[in-house]
Amino acid sequence: LRALPGQMATAASNGSDPLLEVASDPSRGRYYVARRGIAESEVLLRVRPDVWAPAWPGDGEAAASLSKRESAVIVCDAGFSGAAQQALGILAAGWLLLVRAALLPDEALEAVLRCCDDNATRRAAEQQALLRRVAAKLSSALHAAGETARTTDQLARLIGVVVTNAFGTRGGDGGGGGAEEPAGYGLFVRASLFNHSCAPNVHADLTCGGGGGELVFRASEPVLRGEALYISYVDSTEPRYERRRLLQRHKSFTCDCARCGADLSRSEEWESSLRCRCGRGWMQPEGGAGDWRCVSCGAAESLSRVLAWDTDLRGRLAAASEGGATAEVEAVLESALRRCHPNHAVALQARLRLGQLASS
């Protein structure tokens, strides 16, 4: 099952680790701080997966890797509804990871549940209800396959752990850039104690070829003794409204890190602004979920309209990129620049795709 339960025992207590110390408080839970001063690029942690699986259903690799026990559970499971995929984020692509985790020996499964937060208290009531329906479905599949009984409560906690803590991993070559879909998903229990910031001081190398490799975490800047250690759970080049949307959807919290709380007039956040249709000013949000307002003419636009524009633009870029036509990608980029900053993530992704097309 690609499980290495011996690692899990070290997640709750790593007093012998020369670099990482576990701190805790009511608002942030348990998290890593630096045990001593750390130099830029210094390796903080190398960790192998406690459970790993290729993305489901993938390109055939996932099905080819199934054990007899896993196949029996998958056969008894009818799959995900579209609503579950939307509400629970990575869970559809991480379905095989969830099955493998559910098939862990009792002691190893309890270690995962003990060491990792499931975010149940933060999740919206309708999402939590959907999660429990998925848990009941998996419980029935395990029973039908003749596996060890798992209660709905136990599996609901496990699903919450997977949604909250799973890392998407890339293939062995590490190529493809940040927008590449994960080749697999894994639970790396020791790594789950890195908290999130959109201005992280730790870089996570997510290359984990074939599930047998390590994730490597390095300091991206000098870190002082006692300073909290952060990775970014999302692509930090995305604008603030998109980072917050992804974190709320997948991790069930609204980010209030130093970067997200900063005024958009700061240079590092200016790319989150949108050009007003008046052509003279830039629009910025008035609150976390409030209207966007032009600093020049005062015109307002709702967050829902901004997100609809963004979703449509990303869909058009994905379709143009898939088609491989340079002119179509250029048209999307031109359309994007009418409204967004030149350093907006979608504009950067369009330029990256044009470069790939030019070199192919």
Side-chain angles (χ1 to χ4, degrees):
L1 294 176
R2 291 164 175 76
L4 303 172
Q7 287 183 215
M8 299 178 199
T10 67
S13 175
N14 60 349
S16 61
D17 194 308
L19 297 178
L20 304 176
E21 185 172 353
V22 178
S24 66
D25 65 49
S27 63
R28 292 188 287 180
R30 297 163 66 246
Y31 59 96
Y32 282 137
V33 298
R35 188 178 289 275
R36 61 162 173 79
I38 298 170
E40 183 176 354
S41 299
E42 189 170 355
V43 174
L44 302 175
L45 180 66
R46 295 180 183 270
V47 60
R48 293 172 62 84
D50 295 290
V51 191
W52 184 89
W56 184 261
D59 58 3
E61 178 188 357
S65 72
L66 292 177
S67 69
K68 290 183 179 179
R69 294 175 66 202
E70 293 162 358
S71 296
V73 175
I74 295 292
V75 165
C76 294
D77 171 56
F80 272 105
S81 67
Q85 292 185 35
Q86 287 296 316
L88 300 177
I90 68 121
L91 193 53
W95 184 242
L96 182 54
L97 170 65
L98 176 60
V99 170
R100 287 183 173 171
L103 291 173
L104 285 172
D106 290 348
E107 183 180 352
L109 178 59
E110 284 304 316
V112 170
L113 297 178
R114 184 173 62 251
C115 295
C116 297
D117 190 2
D118 67 351
N119 264 2
T121 58
R122 292 182 173 183
R123 195 168 290 112
E126 60 272 19
Q127 281 192 315
Q128 189 64 21
L130 176 57
L131 184 149
R132 289 189 62 83
R133 291 199 295 272
V134 174
K137 186 167 174 290
L138 178 56
S139 179
S140 296
L142 290 167
H143 177 75
E147 290 294 339
T148 302
R150 305 290 188 202
T151 67
T152 296
D153 286 346
Q154 191 178 38
L155 290 173
R157 287 176 59 203
L158 179 61
I159 294 171
V161 164
V162 169
V163 171
T164 303
N165 296 281
F167 284 83
T169 63
R170 295 191 290 268
D173 60 2
E180 180 186 16
E181 288 297 317
Y185 292 90
L187 284 175
F188 299 78
V189 173
R190 288 187 65 196
S192 68
L193 293 178
F194 284 108
N195 268 353
H196 164 81
S197 172
C198 296
N201 54 11
V202 175
H203 169 72
D205 181 353
L206 300 179
T207 302
C208 185
E214 298 176 319
L215 295 192
V216 181
F217 296 83
R218 298 176 184 271
S220 55
E221 59 187 50
V223 180
L224 299 176
R225 177 183 178 183
E227 188 176 348
L229 297 166
Y230 297 102
I231 61 174
S232 181
Y233 297 169
V234 295
D235 183 351
S236 57
T237 66
E238 291 287 357
R240 180 168 67 181
Y241 66 84
E242 177 66 5
R243 299 195 308 268
R244 281 184 159 177
R245 184 188 72 82
L246 291 171
L247 288 167
Q248 184 60 56
R249 176 185 171 193
H250 296 306
K251 305 297 184 181
S252 302
F253 71 89
T254 298
C255 186
D256 61 356
C257 71
R259 185 178 171 198
C260 282
D263 191 310
L264 284 184
S265 61
R266 287 176 51 175
S267 59
E268 62 266 33
E269 279 300 298
W270 189 253
E271 61 266 25
S272 293
S273 303
L274 297 177
R275 196 183 304 276
C276 180
R277 300 183 192 279
C278 73
R280 301 188 304 276
W282 293 87
M283 305 191 81
Q284 298 180 353
E286 293 185 307
D291 288 345
W292 287 49
R293 194 168 297 278
C294 177
V295 297
S296 178
C297 73
E301 189 165 353
S302 68
L303 175 61
S304 60
R305 286 194 62 182
V306 170
L307 293 177
W309 165 82
D310 185 281
T311 299
D312 175 71
L313 187 67
R314 291 172 192 270
R316 288 164 54 199
L317 177 59
S321 298
E322 183 71 21
T326 298
E328 293 180 8
V329 178
E330 289 175 338
V332 174
L333 176 59
E334 181 180 354
S335 175
L337 292 177
R338 294 192 194 106
R339 290 229 62 192
C340 66
H341 191 277
N343 290 334
H344 189 285
V346 177
L348 295 177
Q349 290 164 16
R351 291 192 188 96
L352 174 63
R353 182 57 178 152
L354 286 172
Q356 291 171 339
L357 291 173
S359 61
S360 63

